[in-house]
Amino acid sequence: MGKVALEGMEFYAYHGFYEEEQIIGNNYVIDVFIKTNFGAAAEEDDLYKTINYETVYLICQREMKVKTKLLEAIGMRIMQGLKHQFQNIHEATIKIKKENPMPGVKLDS
């Protein structure tokens, strides 16, 4: 068992509860951590038996293009996309960071 991580994926997107957020947009950072058994992939040196980073990125990119009010909804769609694409996921964690979560307010990480 091991963990595959793709951290620091940056997107500019138009999500948020407030209309202003969906017009102005915001910077987002997504981290994805996936627990999987990659023994067969390692033994056979076979990309198709593990989690492909490019596919993980493309799933996140696709979902970030869909205007959404809640980050939870984006996270759910990303998780569904990952589970649909990769049947060998034992556990996954998605972290979505919105750089300026409230219009006009700058917060530290």
Side-chain angles (χ1 to χ4, degrees):
M1 189 70 59
K3 187 182 285 188
V4 174
L6 191 55
E7 299 177 80
M9 292 179 279
E10 296 182 7
F11 301 95
Y12 195 87
Y14 300 88
H15 306 300
F17 178 78
Y18 300 103
E19 184 178 342
E20 177 182 351
E21 294 177 288
Q22 294 190 8
I23 295 169
I24 296 171
N26 210 325
N27 291 308
Y28 296 84
V29 179
I30 299 179
D31 301 328
V32 176
F33 304 91
I34 300 171
K35 278 189 176 179
T36 186
N37 184 343
F38 51 75
E43 288 175 18
E44 298 174 34
D45 200 22
D46 187 347
L47 177 63
Y48 298 104
K49 293 188 178 178
T50 190
I51 306 297
N52 183 329
Y53 291 110
E54 181 181 12
T55 304
V56 172
Y57 179 85
L58 292 172
I59 290 168
C60 293
Q61 181 184 53
R62 178 187 69 211
E63 297 308 333
M64 289 303 288
K65 290 180 180 180
V66 179
K67 271 189 186 179
T68 306
K69 290 181 182 176
L70 299 178
L71 297 180
E72 292 86 346
I74 300 166
M76 183 186 71
R77 290 195 315 264
I78 291 171
M79 186 69 75
Q80 289 171 338
L82 292 171
K83 287 182 176 181
H84 177 76
Q85 184 67 39
F86 304 107
Q87 284 69 48
N88 56 339
I89 292 177
H90 291 279
E91 183 181 315
T93 302
I94 299 169
K95 177 183 172 186
I96 303 173
K97 177 185 172 192
K98 185 176 191 176
E99 295 220 342
N100 297 301
M102 296 177 284
V105 177
K106 178 75 174 165
L107 301 174
D108 264 350
S109 298

